[in-house]
Amino acid sequence: MKPNDFRYWLEKASAWSAEYRDTVQTHPVRSQLAPGTITKAIDQSPPEDAHSMETIFDDFKEIIPPGMTHWQHPRFFAYFPSNAAPAAVVAELLATAIGAQCMLWQTSPAATELEVCMVDWLRQATGLPEEFKGVLQDTASSATLCAILTMRELALDFQGNQKGLFGMPPLRVYASTRTHSSIDKAMWVAGLGQDNLVKIGTDESYAMKPDELREMIARDRKNGLKPAGVIVCVGGTSIGATDNVREICNIAKEEGLYTHVDAAWAGSAMICPEYRDLWEGIELADSIVLNPHKWLGAPMECSTHFVKDPEALVRTMAIQPEYLKTYGQDGIINFSEWGLQLGRRFRALKLWFLIRAYGLEGLRQRIRNHVNWSQELADKLAEENDFEIITAPVLSLFSFRYHPIGCNDEAELDRLNLELITRINDEGNIYLTQTIHDGKMVIRFVAGQFDMQRSDIEEAYQSIVCSARTTGS
Ligand SMILES: *Cc1c(COP(=O)(O)O)cnc(C)c1O
């Protein structure tokens, strides 16, 4: 491609992107394509000869958008949001154009130093004490895996990486039954095994039972197993389950165990001081993950991993063959030694743009709106006599189900709610996902798209109620 062509196509791509974001609300939120539709539209083999950018771009415009679920649609209320605020998208474009691989300080000092600054901005913004340092991992799954590897190495006196786990005492990690599946997966990958993730029951407010945690730790010790750490849940994925951070961290401290707090979604809301009760006691944690790529507005792959003792993390994750050594620079950080990946994107740039372009106050206002509007919708649905709120809002997440008067058969209610959610998502005006809660099929509602307005909540209410009243008929 000639230099002028590069400029031309970047401008085309910018124009398309701006138009897309201006009109995203005109598309069905969830892609409506049948499986295999996109596969059929793509050439079965790679081309030997170059295609023109015109052809490629035309194919993109025709084939790809219908196969996308529009996460930046203001009526996306499924899963958790995955925001990409416009100012941060601009930063991503710049980082991609620069195309740096930011594994070491010397492979791009700006990327490393900006990352240190942005992690510290987020630390201040969320009210964490100064002793927390951190890194931007790609995802919470990676951060949690790093935390579990750190627990493993601390428990094994840093012998695990060298010797493997054969002949070592089985290590135990504790988490509530309501934690995210990324914790289970981290146990698999860390070689500790699913059976050594001890799931602790929760109380009526869905928080881990502290007494049961104590009992399980004591029992494990008696049986010759080796407790290594505790995962603390703040804003779980299904219904927002949240542990008592202070109480659980205190137990872990008494037992000499490492704590990792999973606040992947809810952590962004901690920029608002009034929500910080949710993780009261957070200063006691050893490690915390929160994803600015969910609610805050940074595009995908921006997960903040705070650690109180970077030394333990770096001793677990750093490997230094000769070709990765940096000579003559003392006290520098090489972030590839803080995580799994060697090669790393320039992740901090999008945070720098995001936080400056909206200001903390602009970001807080969005989150407050999402929380308040979600609460309003929960209140309105609660007033309808054929809906019930199943779990009360935790920040902007609640769950509900359709429960027509006189229908008290649980299997029939499950079927009706599954039919309702399918109908709603096929209509495409809003997008919701379901979960199983206490054996019931229920519908989750999460507000959080960056540009949503109160009117989008009103539309959600209309869509839910209208679809329900034509369900089963
Ligand atoms: C989304 C989520 C995760 C996983 O996050 P990724 O960044 O997609 O790996 C983990 N824990 C909780 C509570 C989450 O909400």
Side-chain angles (χ1 to χ4, degrees), residues 232 243-253 277-285:
V232 187
D243 297 330
N244 182 327
V245 176
R246 178 173 299 282
E247 196 168 14
I248 301 302
C249 286
N250 274 331
I251 295 172
K253 279 216 160 17
D277 283 355
L278 198 68
W279 72 2
E280 201 280 319
I282 191 68
E283 68 281 0
L284 298 171

Side-chain angles (χ1 to χ4, degrees), residues 79-81 137-144 178-183 233-238 241 262-266 289-291 293-294 300-303 444:
Y79 306 99
F80 279 136
Q137 309 283 15
D138 53 358
T139 57
S141 303
S142 295
T144 295
R178 299 181 185 272
T179 48
H180 191 265
S181 56
S182 57
I183 288 127
C233 183
V234 173
T237 310
S238 182
D262 180 4
W265 162 68
V289 62
L290 70 89
N291 279 358
H293 75 221
K294 276 187 168 157
M300 263 305 290
E301 306 211 351
C302 188
S303 181
R444 293 168 76 257

Side-chain angles (χ1 to χ4, degrees), residues 28 32 422-430 463 467 470:
Q32 305 289 325
T422 307
R423 181 183 293 227
I424 287 172
N425 293 337
D426 286 350
E427 284 166 359
N429 188 41
I430 63 173
S463 289
S467 297
T470 48

Side-chain angles (χ1 to χ4, degrees), residues 37 56 86 96 104 107 118 134 137 153 160-161 240 251 260 284-285 368 372 382 394 403 460-461:
T37 313
I56 301 168
T96 304
L104 306 172
T107 64
M118 289 307 103
Q137 309 283 15
E153 289 307 296
N161 281 340
I251 295 172
H260 172 66
L284 298 171
R368 286 178 181 135
N372 294 337
V394 174
H403 190 162
Y461 169 75

